Amino acid sequence: MERIVATLKKPVSSVGEAAFLLGSFTFISQILGLLRDRLLASTFGAGRELDVYYVAFRFPDLIFVTVASLVAMSVLIPYLSKAKKQGKEFFDTLISDIFLCFSFVIVLVCLLAFFLIPILIKKTFSGFSPDDINQAILLSRIILLSPIFLGFSNLLGSVAQSYGRFFAYAVAPALYNLGIILGLLILAPKFGIVGVAVGVAFGAILHFLIQVFSLRGVVSFRELLKFREKLFVAFGRIKKIVLVSIPRTIALSANNLALLGILMIGSFLGAGAISSFTFSNNLQSVAISIIGVSFAMAVFPVLSDLFRAGETEKFKNTFVSTARKIIFFTVPTACFLVVFRAHIVRLVLGSGAFSWEDTRLVAAALAIFALSLSFQSLYHLFIRALYAMGDNKKTFFSSIGGAISMVVVAFLWYKWSVINPGLQGFVDALFKVSDISGTLMLAMPIGFVFGVVVECVILWVFVEQKIHFTKEVIKPIFHSLGAGIIGAASSYAVLQYTGAFFALNKFVGLLMHAFVGGVVGLSVMIATLILLENEDAKVFLQSFTRKFSGVKPIAADTDVLS
């Protein structure tokens, strides 16, 4: 036990060590997230019960991103670093002020939500039956514990990072998913979906406790939690931090409200629509987290330092280099996701109550999500580039534009599909789901993708106005797209002609089928990039020998509960 606590307290010695630590546990957390989804799919299938479960997250999630983002890690850490230089007393006063104000607001908001959730859910998800609404209310009230504990966990994580301690923050998301998995394995057999919601709350508590252990002996919790002043005095001292956070808070709130709007539409599209949408969204989010978020977070402190130093040309070169890497990885990944969509869904989710029809519908939605993979990944880079340049306000306009587009397009597509069956028939035929029911739910990912593209394009324009980078990424886009299409087409041909040699109704057979097709496709893609003399491919091979140095990384903020 002492060794574990010592590991939690140990500060990292280099940026490379911190990046490796964060990356490793991000990967572990993603694996646990996939296992969580597999257990949910096999236990409940893509049906109304799971729809209700995912809906129950919406208001707790909205509370979390609205309140907790006001003291987000990316905003807090610079202030904490400055406070430490002004002495321990000043640092402890700042932390206690933040804890006092955050405690008051988050607890008050959650208490209000506890009583308002019945009205909110009845009004927003009127497509549900009365029994479904009652179940959603119960689950949502249980999950309301999560924004409280995750919010405090993020605050403690900021303190830990200011002392160079990254281990607990890296482990915390994995523990959150582990709590949900334990709820599925231990509580769900007896209590059903309610047991899973309890697992969510337990996971949030684990997320919080690991941060507490990491700071034992480093800071005094008695001092950190000591309320030195009245609430309005404490708020006056941290008002500047809150004001800086407002644009980011609005951006996150707009995105969550847009997702809420899409799920509202989904409540009218039949049992399983919301579950299928969420499963496919979670699957594509793995690639975004590994590629887009990782690159954006790694380069964020570098961009911040370069901008503060006035090194505009180096800032631009660093930004362009990162954008090219994201494009290099995500464009081909999107192409391969479209081809391997059924294999991926079946391998990850295909067991128990999750039927073949569920697989095909989720696979179709995943293919639609894949169209925006590069846009979603670049979004994270654009956002952080603007933050690094001190321009937080522009994210407000992009978020509003994306959110409105998302909901409007999803709604109009649904209405047009009902009025004009030929439109829906075309989409169904394109994704090979014409012979199954429930395909109206594809309006949800279509709206989501459209909104994401609009938001990314707006951000692209804002960044272009400042550093004029577009000309330098056009050629890489066409290289990656061309190689990705050729490689994915090669994989598709192999899959078509080798299917008879594998037991596709078995996990191992399906995995080997995908492996053979993937090896051929990747080989063809790499050969194509070599023939094109692609610079990013050369840089990728060289990057294995590089070491990161010089800047302390900042871990990603936790923006959602589910």
Side-chain angles (χ1 to χ4, degrees):
M1 183 66 183
E2 291 180 2
R3 182 174 295 181
I4 295 174
V5 174
T7 302
L8 292 174
K9 295 179 181 178
K10 181 183 176 183
V12 296
S13 58
S14 68
V15 173
E17 182 183 345
F20 175 78
L21 187 67
L22 292 168
S24 298
F25 279 99
T26 295
F27 179 74
I28 292 172
S29 180
Q30 292 294 333
I31 295 299
L32 288 174
L34 293 177
L35 176 59
R36 172 204 66 201
D37 283 357
R38 182 177 179 86
L39 290 171
L40 284 168
S42 63
T43 304
F44 302 101
R48 186 58 95 189
E49 193 168 17
L50 211 51
D51 290 348
V52 170
Y53 168 77
Y54 286 124
V55 159
F57 276 93
R58 295 304 357 122
F59 291 107
D61 209 350
L62 183 60
I63 291 170
F64 177 71
V65 300
T66 302
V67 179
S69 63
L70 289 172
V71 285
M73 212 168 272
S74 54
V75 175
L76 268 186
I77 288 176
Y79 284 95
L80 294 179
S81 298
K82 292 178 183 177
K84 283 177 66 179
K85 295 176 182 178
Q86 298 181 52
K88 188 176 186 304
E89 184 177 352
F90 184 86
F91 178 82
D92 289 345
T93 300
L94 177 64
I95 292 297
S96 64
D97 287 345
I98 293 171
F99 268 76
L100 170 60
C101 296
F102 179 77
S103 301
F104 176 80
V105 174
I106 193 70
V107 172
L108 177 63
V109 171
C110 286
L111 280 174
L112 289 173
F114 184 87
F115 295 104
L116 291 176
I117 271 177
I119 299 172
L120 295 173
I121 290 181
K122 287 177 183 177
K123 294 292 184 182
T124 51
F125 297 100
S126 53
F128 281 178
S129 69
D131 288 341
D132 293 335
I133 289 174
N134 290 334
Q135 182 80 308
I137 292 168
L138 173 61
L139 298 181
S140 192
R141 281 175 163 172
I142 295 171
I143 295 172
L144 272 175
L145 289 171
S146 294
I148 297 174
F149 284 103
L150 290 179
F152 282 121
S153 180
N154 278 358
L155 285 177
L156 294 178
S158 298
V159 177
Q161 285 192 53
S162 71
Y163 283 94
R165 287 159 173 78
F166 285 84
F167 188 85
Y169 190 84
V171 174
L175 291 179
Y176 176 67
N177 279 326
L178 181 62
I180 301 174
I181 290 170
L182 290 175
L184 274 159
L185 295 175
I186 298 172
L187 300 177
K190 184 174 182 179
F191 300 104
I193 200 69
V194 174
V196 185
V198 173
V200 172
F202 180 63
I205 293 171
L206 292 178
H207 197 290
F208 167 72
L209 289 178
I210 193 73
Q211 302 287 1
V212 173
F213 280 112
S214 73
L215 290 172
R216 284 182 60 188
V218 180
V219 294
S220 170
F221 281 95
R222 181 175 295 179
E223 289 298 315
L224 288 180
L225 300 175
K226 186 177 179 181
F227 296 157
R228 291 172 167 78
E229 303 284 357
K230 294 181 180 180
L231 181 64
F232 70 90
V233 176
F235 179 77
R237 284 200 288 251
I238 68 165
K239 183 169 65 174
K240 185 177 180 181
I241 298 175
V242 174
L243 291 176
V244 170
S245 303
I246 286 176
R248 183 179 185 274
T249 299
I250 294 173
L252 291 172
S253 299
N255 291 333
N256 273 268
L257 286 170
L259 186 56
L260 177 64
I262 286 180
L263 297 193
M264 287 170 60
I265 296 169
S267 69
F268 292 96
L269 302 182
I274 293 173
S275 302
S276 298
F277 171 84
T278 307
F279 278 137
S280 53
N281 189 19
N282 289 348
L283 286 172
Q284 62 111 21
S285 295
V286 174
I288 295 168
S289 296
I290 293 173
I291 303 171
V293 175
S294 296
F295 275 115
M297 293 311 302
V299 80
F300 177 49
V302 180
L303 293 175
S304 298
D305 281 0
L306 290 173
F307 186 80
R308 282 197 299 267
E311 299 187 55
T312 308
E313 193 62 28
K314 285 186 178 180
F315 180 97
K316 177 182 175 180
N317 291 339
T318 303
F319 174 87
V320 169
S321 175
T322 307
R324 288 177 61 138
K325 288 183 178 70
I326 291 174
I327 291 165
F328 173 74
F329 286 109
T330 57
V331 172
T333 298
C335 296
F336 281 95
L337 267 180
V338 173
V339 172
F340 287 94
R341 61 188 186 273
H343 288 75
I344 293 169
V345 174
R346 200 63 195 162
L347 287 170
V348 175
L349 304 175
S351 64
F354 196 79
S355 67
W356 175 240
E357 286 71 22
D358 293 335
T359 298
R360 294 174 63 193
L361 196 56
V362 172
L366 179 60
I368 295 171
F369 275 118
L371 300 177
S372 68
L373 189 66
S374 296
F375 291 97
Q376 292 188 68
S377 297
L378 287 170
Y379 159 86
H380 292 283
L381 177 62
F382 293 156
I383 282 284
R384 282 160 182 83
L386 290 171
Y387 286 163
M389 291 184 280
D391 194 349
N392 293 1
K393 295 179 181 179
K394 284 189 170 62
T395 61
F396 167 80
F397 299 105
S398 63
S399 297
I400 296 298
I404 293 173
S405 301
M406 197 177 290
V407 177
V408 169
V409 170
F411 178 76
L412 291 179
W413 192 278
Y414 160 59
K415 287 295 184 182
W416 287 339
S417 297
V418 172
I419 297 171
N420 181 15
L423 176 64
Q424 188 64 36
F426 170 76
V427 174
D428 293 351
L430 183 63
F431 294 106
K432 299 182 179 180
V433 289
S434 300
D435 57 333
I436 63 175
S437 61
T439 57
L440 281 175
M441 65 78 51
L442 295 178
M444 299 166 71
I446 288 171
F448 183 94
V449 165
F450 191 91
V452 165
V453 171
V454 168
E455 185 170 7
C456 185
V457 169
I458 294 173
L459 290 171
W460 188 309
V461 171
F462 287 150
V463 178
E464 171 66 18
Q465 289 173 344
K466 289 179 175 291
I467 60 175
H468 307 292
F469 72 96
T470 300
K471 289 182 180 179
E472 299 183 45
V473 299
I474 294 298
K475 185 177 178 180
I477 289 173
F478 282 106
H479 275 197
S480 296
L481 183 60
I485 290 174
I486 293 171
S490 302
S491 290
Y492 181 79
V494 171
L495 294 177
Q496 292 299 306
Y497 287 105
T498 60
F501 299 100
F502 297 93
L504 300 182
N505 59 338
K506 303 292 184 181
F507 182 89
V508 174
L510 192 63
L511 180 63
M512 292 306 298
H513 188 227
F515 176 77
V516 170
V519 168
V520 172
L522 287 173
S523 300
V524 171
M525 184 191 76
I526 293 170
T528 303
L529 289 170
I530 292 172
L531 289 173
L532 291 171
E533 298 181 350
N534 183 266
E535 290 296 325
D536 298 299
K538 296 176 183 178
V539 171
F540 172 66
L541 294 174
Q542 294 170 356
S543 66
F544 287 108
T545 60
R546 289 183 180 173
K547 294 182 179 179
F548 296 97
S549 62
V551 187
K552 182 185 291 184
I554 299 175
D557 295 300
T558 303
D559 293 335
V560 291
L561 308 180
S562 51

